[in-house]
Amino acid sequence: MQLRRCGTNAVLVEVDSLGEVEAVRAAVEAAELPGVVELVPAARTVLVVTEPGTLPAVRKILATADLAHRPRTVSDEVVIPVRYDGPDLDLVAETAGLTTAEVVDLHAGATYQVAFCGFAPGFAYLTGLPEPLHQPRLDSPRTKVPAGSVAIAGEYTAAYPRATPGGWRLIGRTDAPLFDPRRPTPALLTPGHRVRFEATR
Amino acid sequence: MTPPRESYAQNARVLPPERESRTLRARESNVQDPRVQHSRTLTVLRTGPQTLIQDLGRPGNAHLGVPPSGALDVPSFELANRLVGNPEDAAALEVLLGGLSLRANASCTVAVTGPSTPVLVNGVLRDSPLHLTPDDTLTLGTPEGGLRSYVAVSGGITVPADLGSRSTDLLSGLGPAPLQPDDELPLGDPTGVPVGVDVLVPVQVPDELVVPVFLGPRDDWFDNPERQLREGRWTVSDRSNRVGIRLTGTALDRVPCRVGQELPSEGLITGAVQVPADGRPVVFLADHPTTGGYPVIGVVPEYVLPLLGQAPPGTRLRFTPQA
């Protein structure tokens, strides 16, 4: 773990894996320090932004955090119903050397975890994608990916909370309410959540 | 000065029926808050280049991919609210380069802060804070020495909040849309006594900004970052906006082993000085993306951000790296 300075009231914690990112995030969150303003996990880092005077307490927690010990997720599992009829489903099957039915079984059969959010409000990067589905982005990104699209890219899968440009391979659609800024809990998926996809007709 | 006494009931009136107003989610807000009277509104006549509703934003949601947003010049924003007797976090207007014109549909106290900006009521130049009665028209001229004026109105602007904030976030699209002519802005009930004031000191951005910067978190991607930052000279680009100040001028060089490399996206803080592949730094402001993949060479302190948010294109800028 390396602590990188980020102005006077923030620290960027750099680690070696997504698992360690989740361990750091969970350790800081569990401490419930009142002065922590933002806690932002990403692929290999966790950004901790604090009120003035809180950084020493954060450093103390980080010094004792056990990176090898991934915290148990306390959240319930979120199940996202998906119609697997995305425009890139055939391409994904071809790339993986599978039938489309096997792709659906693989994607819907795995359990995922929200590693981090970014790109757009409520856009969650989910890890746990089965190896055959680790596939590159499209050569040329779409200018508009419809809201609710379920997609894969690299080691991640995700569902688009709203229409945005995007280069991920689209395998399905969901009507799940992914993000609503007026809800008490605006994002359906937040870092640490466990997630499953369920094939619907 | 003695703040004018506000009396709303006797001034309550119904909007002329022939006037088509695009009520800015006002109906929803009235449903949510029965205290808001229909008449207690402002009507937007003209917006100038850009007028946005802002408050102190929605920090604490970066892990959901939600930028902090909020007023760029927080001291001017909070001062405007204090001057009209609002809590400092009440929603007000952030007016880019003046040109805003409003009609009051109820009595209200208004304060205009930020750079020196002509304020006219019914075409007559006035000093702010001031009192409007129904049918008065408030117009802002062009600010001098800065970009953004703040217009606070007693009671605050009470459009519905997204994630606890009424700020318009131009990056993610959260919050109310930028104002348009004929928008009707619902006002809350005044909650406090306006702060008396004789003279307001306007914001004045100097010709050259000297900006402290703390190195890190990715200063090790750059060849002698301290010297490059100290010796470089920049100008605020006209491509700057609420997302960030883009700079033209010195290109910052990476260390040879980092040239052409990419960084896995990582969390960004307001004030981060990010260096894209072309080497020209961007200083992130309130509507910045929550994560980014270009290295951040340093972070400017929070107290510089209000001035950066006021810096017109063409303002010269240099950095003073801090130990």
Side-chain angles (χ1 to χ4, degrees):
Chain A
M1 188 195 309
Q2 191 181 354
L3 303 191
R4 291 177 172 272
R5 184 183 192 185
C6 198
T8 50
N9 296 316
V11 63
L12 186 71
V13 187
E14 188 171 30
V15 291
D16 293 328
S17 68
L18 274 167
E20 293 187 359
V21 166
E22 175 55 14
V24 168
R25 186 202 67 78
V28 176
E29 187 179 67
E32 293 183 341
L33 295 173
V36 172
V37 180
E38 303 276 13
L39 181 58
V40 193
R44 294 292 178 270
T45 55
V46 179
L47 174 67
V48 190
V49 184
T50 69
E51 303 279 4
T54 306
L55 267 192
V58 171
R59 287 176 187 278
K60 211 160 137 188
I61 289 156
L62 294 171
T64 56
D66 180 3
L67 297 190
H69 205 87
R70 289 187 64 172
R72 204 157 270 298
T73 41
V74 289
S75 65
D76 293 335
E77 190 173 74
V78 180
V79 178
I80 297 180
V82 182
R83 292 185 308 281
Y84 283 97
D85 58 359
D88 302 324
L89 188 61
D90 289 339
L91 171 67
V92 169
E94 192 186 323
T95 308
L98 299 170
T99 66
T100 55
E102 287 168 332
V103 168
V104 172
D105 285 348
L106 265 184
H107 191 263
T111 300
Y112 303 90
Q113 188 165 19
V114 180
F116 52 93
C117 296
F119 175 61
F123 188 97
Y125 291 77
L126 305 178
T127 54
L129 188 67
E131 192 73 39
L133 302 182
H134 290 202
Q135 297 188 9
R137 289 170 168 75
L138 299 171
D139 291 336
S140 141
R142 288 184 171 86
T143 51
K144 193 175 176 185
V145 173
S149 294
V150 174
I152 59 169
E155 59 181 313
Y156 303 112
T157 186
Y160 284 71
R162 62 173 178 202
T164 47
W168 291 32
R169 296 183 174 192
L170 311 184
I171 58 175
R173 284 285 286 273
T174 181
D175 296 326
L178 295 162
F179 190 81
D180 178 351
R182 303 281 163 83
R183 265 194 327 235
T185 311
L188 182 66
L189 307 177
T190 67
H193 270 160
R194 275 187 310 140
V195 182
R196 273 194 316 111
F197 294 97
E198 195 173 71
T200 61
R201 290 271 129 205
Chain B
M1 63 165 251
T2 311
R5 194 170 150 267
E6 302 192 16
S7 175
Y8 304 103
Q10 66 198 48
N11 291 318
R13 68 185 195 88
V14 179
L15 281 176
E18 70 272 17
R19 182 157 191 101
E20 281 276 311
S21 279
R22 193 175 74 97
T23 302
L24 198 80
R25 301 179 192 169
R27 186 172 299 149
E28 246 178 290
S29 110
N30 287 343
V31 169
Q32 288 177 354
D33 187 352
R35 292 169 303 172
V36 177
Q37 294 170 29
H38 282 272
S39 57
R40 208 169 145 65
T41 61
L42 298 170
T43 303
V44 177
L45 304 177
R46 286 188 291 120
T47 63
Q50 182 187 78
T51 298
L52 306 176
I53 297 173
Q54 292 294 336
D55 54 20
L56 293 177
R58 44 185 78 82
N61 295 297
H63 63 292
L64 306 178
V66 173
S69 194
L72 290 192
D73 179 354
V74 170
S76 293
F77 166 84
E78 291 180 339
L79 173 63
N81 268 327
R82 290 197 302 273
L83 290 171
V84 299
N86 286 347
E88 286 183 332
D89 61 353
L93 301 179
E94 183 177 89
V95 185
L96 179 68
L97 290 170
L100 171 73
S101 193
L102 299 168
R103 187 183 67 234
N105 301 318
S107 290
C108 52
T109 305
V110 176
V112 181
T113 61
S116 176
T117 305
V119 177
L120 296 89
V121 176
N122 304 327
V124 179
L125 205 55
R126 292 276 299 276
D127 281 330
S128 153
L130 50 84
H131 186 65
L132 297 180
T133 54
D135 280 334
D136 280 349
T137 300
L138 174 88
T139 304
L140 266 58
T142 305
E144 266 179 53
L147 293 179
R148 292 178 167 92
S149 308
Y150 291 88
V151 180
V153 185
S154 50
I157 294 162
T158 52
V159 293
D162 282 353
L163 281 94
S165 165
R166 298 177 165 108
S167 285
T168 299
D169 175 349
L170 292 179
L171 183 81
S172 77
L174 292 174
L179 296 193
Q180 291 180 23
D182 292 341
D183 278 348
E184 200 169 314
L185 306 178
L187 301 177
D189 286 337
T191 52
V193 178
V195 174
V197 66
D198 291 314
V199 178
L200 282 186
V201 180
V203 169
Q204 171 76 49
V205 179
D207 294 339
E208 183 179 55
L209 284 170
V210 180
V211 178
V213 57
F214 295 98
L215 291 179
R218 298 289 174 186
D219 50 317
D220 55 346
W221 278 53
F222 298 90
D223 198 17
N224 203 337
E226 195 275 338
R227 201 193 66 204
Q228 285 202 71
L229 281 171
R230 182 163 33 81
E231 294 181 354
R233 293 293 180 269
W234 292 276
T235 304
V236 173
S237 155
D238 58 6
R239 289 167 62 232
S240 303
N241 54 29
R242 286 183 44 87
V243 173
I245 299 283
R246 289 173 188 278
L247 299 175
T248 56
T250 309
L252 297 169
D253 291 329
R254 291 186 185 181
V255 289
C257 67
R258 293 294 190 185
V259 173
Q261 273 197 10
E262 278 182 49
L263 192 64
S265 282
E266 57 192 27
L268 283 173
I269 185 174
T270 310
V273 183
Q274 193 195 55
V275 185
D278 70 1
R280 267 82 186 190
V282 178
V283 187
F284 279 120
L285 301 181
D287 287 359
H288 67 81
T290 56
T291 58
Y294 292 117
V296 169
I297 190 171
V299 177
V300 308
E302 205 176 298
Y303 66 82
V304 184
L305 298 174
L307 210 50
L308 288 177
Q310 292 286 9
T315 304
R316 286 176 290 125
L317 184 150
R318 58 192 171 89
F319 290 109
T320 52
Q322 307 292 300

